[in-house]
Amino acid sequence: LLFIFLIMNFEINNTILCDALKTLNRVVPTRSTLPILSCVLFSSDGESLRLRSTDLEVSLEFSLQASIQEPVNIAVPISKILSICSSLGDEKLSFMVSGAKIEIKTEFGEYNIMGQGSEDFPDKVFVNENKNISFESKKLEELIDYTIGSTSTDDLKPSLQGVLFDINEAKTTLVSTDGHRLSKIEENQNNPLSKKIIIPTKFLKLVQSFLIKEQKIEFLIGENHAQVFFEGVKISTRLINDSYPDYEKVIPKTNDIEVLVETKKLINSLKRVSVFSNKKTKQATLIIENNEIQLAAEDTETAASAKEKIPCIQNKEQKITIAFNGEYLKEILEKSKTEETKLVLKDELSAALVLPKEQKSNKIALLMPIRLN
């Protein structure tokens, strides 16, 4: 008789494992020609259990507390193991690995999954020749939050699928644009390097989700990669190797019509009026005259329309009618986090600037108008 003994590799609390898997799943690509990328690599060094997922661009690694009996090194399909863990409570899981077979035991059940060999899983990223730039977590959250919504999802414009970090010895400037809008925010700080890098949106969204407690965040910047470390977590990304448009050229310098408005009033008015806008264009028209903004939207397909008036202060007695994507304008206003906003305009076809009233503000947003019918 041939007996096969399954040796227990490790035990781990399900809640700890499940929380890590949910975050790791954000990196796993939804569609890929490489089946191994739909797995999470489980590996241990005898002290902690390491879990890593990657889409070949962004990589996320957790180091988890576990009771390790035997080393493990196997790629596990995330959909299966996440489904199991999500439906279990706060209990202990025992893992036994034999070849590609993974057996998971709880007090009341056992589950078997087929894994894949670790040799096909992409290698770890090591950032060499690195330089560090550091941010306070609260400040980094503000910088990412202000720019992340303006990046592009267009595969034909890879440079716009991330945020430009324009770093010099005195400050770091973050810029993002999708061709319709642009967001720019500056942070004065001493940096040990001067460099322009484009960091993918996906990586920044992941980093943002870890900026919960106040701490200093170190960005390691290498030739082609960047890395950030949190407690028990390492996030790496390939930098976007493309040239970024000259953003300073795009920001208008000759706009001379200034309209000051209460930010909250404009946001609330846009929320209501935009319900009646065309679902495709999301057009909201602003008619500015006699220190008043009339907001209007209509959808000819459903015969729906809305109009509202809110007070403003103009620097010129000049009527101007300009239309924007109401959703874009609302997002910019919400992220400016200021009591009063200044709209700096030229005419109905030129790019508009949306600025916080405070002159010393480090934020600039640009929005292209929609051509009026």
Side-chain angles (χ1 to χ4, degrees), residues 9 15 17 28 39 77-78 84 98 162 222 234 273 288 322 345 369:
N9 291 77
T15 305
L17 179 60
V28 174
C39 295
I78 193 162
I84 294 166
S98 173
K234 179 168 78 175
V273 168
I288 303 159
I322 191 164
L345 314 167

Side-chain angles (χ1 to χ4, degrees), residues 98-139:
S98 173
K101 185 186 173 191
I102 303 148
E103 189 178 286
I104 306 165
K105 281 190 172 179
T106 65
E107 271 184 26
F108 50 83
E110 57 183 68
Y111 318 92
N112 293 293
I113 305 174
M114 289 304 287
Q116 291 188 55
S118 59
E119 61 280 353
D120 294 330
F121 203 84
D123 291 337
K124 268 188 184 188
V125 171
F126 292 100
V127 175
N128 39 19
E129 314 167 44
N130 57 60
K131 289 275 179 78
N132 293 17
I133 58 166
S134 57
F135 300 91
E136 293 302 326
S137 53
K138 207 173 176 184
K139 181 50 68 179

Side-chain angles (χ1 to χ4, degrees), residues 21 52 54 95 101 103 114 154 176 178 205 237 362:
L21 287 170
R52 183 160 59 90
T54 181
F95 280 73
K101 185 186 173 191
E103 189 178 286
M114 289 304 287
D154 187 349
S176 64
D178 60 3
K205 281 183 177 170
T237 184
N362 58 347

Side-chain angles (χ1 to χ4, degrees), residues 139-150:
K139 181 50 68 179
L140 184 58
E141 159 64 36
E142 184 191 356
L143 295 172
I144 293 173
D145 185 58
Y146 191 71
T147 49
I148 208 161
S150 305

